[in-house]
């Protein structure tokens, strides 16, 4: 018989497990990336999204949404990344209120180096998953992301 206590709700437990798994992976993989490349994992996430975008740039508001930061949070992060030479701001030609963050050549270089290391670390982290497991996980995460 299901519990009537709301804290025992199965979805609360499932979400907690998801959050815990993410948190552990973020700490483990983030620390490894920082140690092996000098690049913080949050910076990697920004650079990879820019590199995969048309013309290597995204509107600041879109980038903030994709890396789960507020607009002020992404502004501060881009300030630091710009000072390091990995990104640059570009104005929008048609709307002065809009600006873009764009990856620079040095940003692309460090991203390329970090991606090799990150992929290796991810292979280690997911070593117990076979291709079918990864396909199922990808599908479930896509459904969850699209529903949110």
């Amino acid at each position: 018989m299901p519990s009537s206590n709301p804290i025992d709700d199965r979805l609360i437990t499932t979400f907690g497990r998801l959050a815990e798994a993410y948190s552990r992976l973020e700490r483990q993989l983030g620390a490894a990336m920082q140690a092996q490349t000098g690049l913080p994992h949050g910076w990697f996430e920004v650079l990879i999204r820019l590199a995969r975008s048309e013309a290597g740039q995204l509107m600041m508001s879109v980038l903030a949404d994709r890396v789960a930061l507020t607009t002020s949070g992404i502004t501060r992060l881009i300030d630091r990344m710009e000072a390091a030479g990995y990104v640059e701001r570009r104005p929008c030609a048609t709307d002065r209120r809009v600006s873009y963050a764009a990856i620079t050549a040095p940003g692309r270089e460090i991203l390329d180096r970090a991606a090799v290391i990150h992929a290796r670390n991810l292979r280690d982290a997911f070593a117990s998953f076979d291709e079918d497991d990864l396909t199922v996980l990808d599908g479930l995460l896509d459904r969850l992301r699209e529903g949110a």
Side-chain angles (χ1 to χ4, degrees), residues 5 12 28 30 35 38-39 41 50 71-72 74-75 85 94 106 124 128-129:
N5 189 338
I12 292 174
Q28 173 190 356
L39 188 68
H41 187 248
L50 293 175
T71 53
S72 62
I74 197 68
T75 297
T94 59
D124 291 344
S128 66
F129 289 63

Side-chain angles (χ1 to χ4, degrees), residues 17 29 34 44 58 65 76 80 86 93 97-98 106 108 115 120 139-140 144:
R17 292 170 70 201
L29 295 169
Q34 179 80 43
F44 176 85
L58 285 170
D65 185 55
R76 289 189 303 272
R80 293 189 304 273
Y86 298 145
R97 298 168 297 173
V98 174
R108 179 77 66 167
R120 184 185 67 227
L140 293 171
L144 185 61

Side-chain angles (χ1 to χ4, degrees), residues 132-148:
D132 289 340
D133 292 334
L134 292 174
T135 299
V136 168
L137 181 58
D138 285 342
L140 293 171
L141 291 172
D142 283 345
R143 280 177 43 201
L144 185 61
R145 182 176 58 188
E146 290 165 8

Side-chain angles (χ1 to χ4, degrees), residues 4 7 12 19 29 48 64 70 81 89 100 114 117 119 146:
S4 62
I7 66 170
I12 292 174
L29 295 169
I48 200 155
T70 63
M81 294 179 72
R89 283 186 172 82
Y100 293 89
I117 291 166
E146 290 165 8

Side-chain angles (χ1 to χ4, degrees), residues 72-131:
S72 62
I74 197 68
T75 297
R76 289 189 303 272
L77 180 59
I78 293 300
D79 286 344
R80 293 189 304 273
M81 294 179 72
E82 190 172 33
Y86 298 145
V87 299
E88 64 184 9
R89 283 186 172 82
R90 294 182 183 159
C92 177
T94 59
D95 188 341
R96 293 184 332 188
R97 298 168 297 173
V98 174
S99 65
Y100 293 89
I103 192 168
T104 62
R108 179 77 66 167
E109 289 172 18
I110 196 161
L111 174 62
D112 289 345
R113 288 194 316 271
V116 170
I117 291 166
H118 193 46
R120 184 185 67 227
N121 292 340
L122 284 167
R123 279 191 290 281
D124 291 344
F126 285 88
S128 66
F129 289 63
D130 64 22
E131 286 300 315

Side-chain angles (χ1 to χ4, degrees), residues 15-34:
F15 182 78
R17 292 170 70 201
L18 178 63
E20 185 178 327
Y22 171 78
S23 179
R24 286 182 181 181
L25 282 170
E26 174 66 26
R27 279 193 311 271
Q28 173 190 356
L29 295 169
M33 178 173 293
Q34 179 80 43

